[in-house]
Amino acid sequence: MSTEPAHRPPTIDATAAARWARLAPEPASPWLHEEVGRRMEDRLQWIKAKPRHWVDWAPLRGGLGAHALVARRYRDAASFVIEPETALVPATGKALAAPWWSARRWQGSQPSFDALPEDGVDLLWANMALHMAADPEALIAQWHRRVATDGFLMFSCFGPDTLMELRALYRRLGWPAASHEFTDMHDWGDMLVGAGFAEPVMDMERIVLTWADADAALAELRGLGRNLHPGRFPALRGRGWRNALAEALPELAPAEEGGGRIALTFEIIYGHAFKPPPRVALSIESAVSLREMRTMLQRSRAGL
């Protein structure tokens, strides 16, 4: 019997993904990421747990404004930051630092790049990162290790209908794929459970962005991500290709208001899941980490 998981994330170019991860956003977090972060932060009102500490995963691109909203909601919680790319740590620290005269210094704890608490954090916040990961299952496993028992993960990412107009345009023109494939929310739920999370709750919405012309649309798309499909164009395209794309966009991705405006759809997936107490499979010999053993003993003494 095969032990392969039922659902596997789409294949992407790992080298291209690593190159994108090292690229600092200019001039700041993308507008769409900030808007998604704002909507995800609003969902925190439905979660009764009050974190004692939380960590923001890659906030420089994930959303500096969204980070401030979470810090304000949990103003008494210790705040941490994980920037996976070492080269981006100085820029992230500078962007998140509150000057002495700023009201932000009193609207939540100042973020720390120090090591997380030994037992993990009560909330790991990851806005718009998962769909650009070279190995999303490994990333989810990393997140699981950093979340404390009974803590929770909150994340967002692009879903399969993202850029469906642009992908249809590329197919019509006989070009290679316009983007790598994006994972369905049900498959994300399966991967969360496979990593050890419990009670995953997933939902999605579609956001349609419009632009006055192709130049404005392409400029914003460059800030949102890169095409990581292994079968994408293998080399740089010339001016002729760009002109063809600019001419086709208003026709094949028209906005409802007309006037030559361009509209593209983004499917946004939101998810959260809790980390349950560790369970040890019964066998003649079982290996348990010191952290798991400590958690099980504490819960046993508390009668949980």
Side-chain angles (χ1 to χ4, degrees):
M1 180 180 295
S2 174
T3 58
E4 292 294 311
H7 304 282
R8 299 192 66 84
T11 301
I12 67 174
D13 186 322
T15 301
R19 188 163 53 242
W20 164 253
R22 293 191 297 268
L23 186 64
E26 291 290 345
S29 315
W31 178 89
L32 182 58
H33 289 197
E34 292 285 12
E35 176 62 18
V36 171
R38 184 191 66 76
R39 299 184 185 198
M40 186 163 71
E41 189 276 338
D42 189 59
R43 285 164 162 77
L44 290 172
Q45 66 179 303
W46 308 113
I47 297 179
K48 296 181 179 179
K50 298 299 182 185
R52 299 161 297 169
H53 27 54
W54 68 286
V55 63
D56 195 343
W57 184 273
L60 190 62
R61 178 168 285 113
L64 301 172
H67 176 96
L69 290 175
V70 180
R72 193 175 308 150
R73 179 179 292 273
Y74 301 126
R75 64 178 68 239
D76 295 327
S79 171
F80 294 87
V81 169
I82 292 180
E83 174 46 68
E85 292 298 324
T86 304
L88 298 185
V89 170
T92 303
K94 181 178 180 180
L96 289 174
W100 66 266
W101 45 262
S102 171
R104 282 193 294 147
R105 295 180 66 89
W106 294 275
Q107 292 176 343
S109 63
Q110 294 303 295
S112 169
F113 285 83
D114 294 339
L116 302 186
E118 183 179 354
D119 293 332
V121 293
D122 293 333
L123 163 62
L124 192 151
W125 172 273
N127 188 42
M128 299 297 281
L130 199 50
H131 58 271
M132 295 297 289
D135 188 344
E137 289 178 301
L139 181 55
I140 291 173
Q142 283 191 56
W143 291 347
H144 182 268
R145 290 192 294 271
R146 289 173 165 87
V147 175
T149 298
D150 296 324
F152 65 100
L153 165 69
M154 198 88 177
F155 75 94
S156 62
C157 61
F158 284 149
D161 283 345
T162 296
L163 298 176
M164 58 185 182
E165 301 90 350
L166 188 64
R167 289 188 277 118
L169 184 156
Y170 271 51
R171 287 194 297 269
R172 179 169 172 175
L173 296 177
W175 293 344
S179 73
H180 56 285
E181 296 296 323
F182 299 111
T183 301
D184 180 83
M185 67 177 180
H186 300 100
D187 294 343
W188 285 132
D190 291 342
M191 283 184 263
L192 288 168
V193 172
F197 285 104
E199 304 176 35
V201 176
M202 314 294 299
D203 69 303
M204 58 77 68
E205 65 176 338
R206 292 183 180 89
I207 297 176
V208 177
L209 299 186
T210 65
W211 298 270
D213 52 45
D215 287 341
L218 295 176
E220 185 148 4
L221 288 178
R222 281 194 294 271
L224 294 178
R226 292 290 187 273
N227 180 359
L228 304 181
H229 196 292
R232 67 193 184 280
F233 276 109
L236 295 175
R237 275 81 69 206
R239 185 177 301 173
W241 171 87
R242 194 184 189 287
N243 290 341
L245 176 59
E247 291 176 5
L249 272 172
E251 177 186 354
L252 301 181
E256 289 185 2
E257 58 266 37
R261 293 186 65 84
I262 295 164
L264 294 175
T265 299
F266 296 85
E267 179 183 337
I268 309 300
I269 292 175
Y270 303 92
H272 73 262
F274 286 83
K275 180 174 179 177
R279 293 184 179 182
V280 180
L282 296 178
S283 62
I284 297 176
E285 293 184 4
S286 299
V288 183
S289 72
L290 181 60
R291 175 177 167 181
E292 291 174 335
M293 178 65 74
R294 185 184 300 113
T295 299
M296 288 188 290
L297 289 173
Q298 290 173 345
R299 295 181 67 87
S300 176
R301 289 167 183 158
L304 300 176

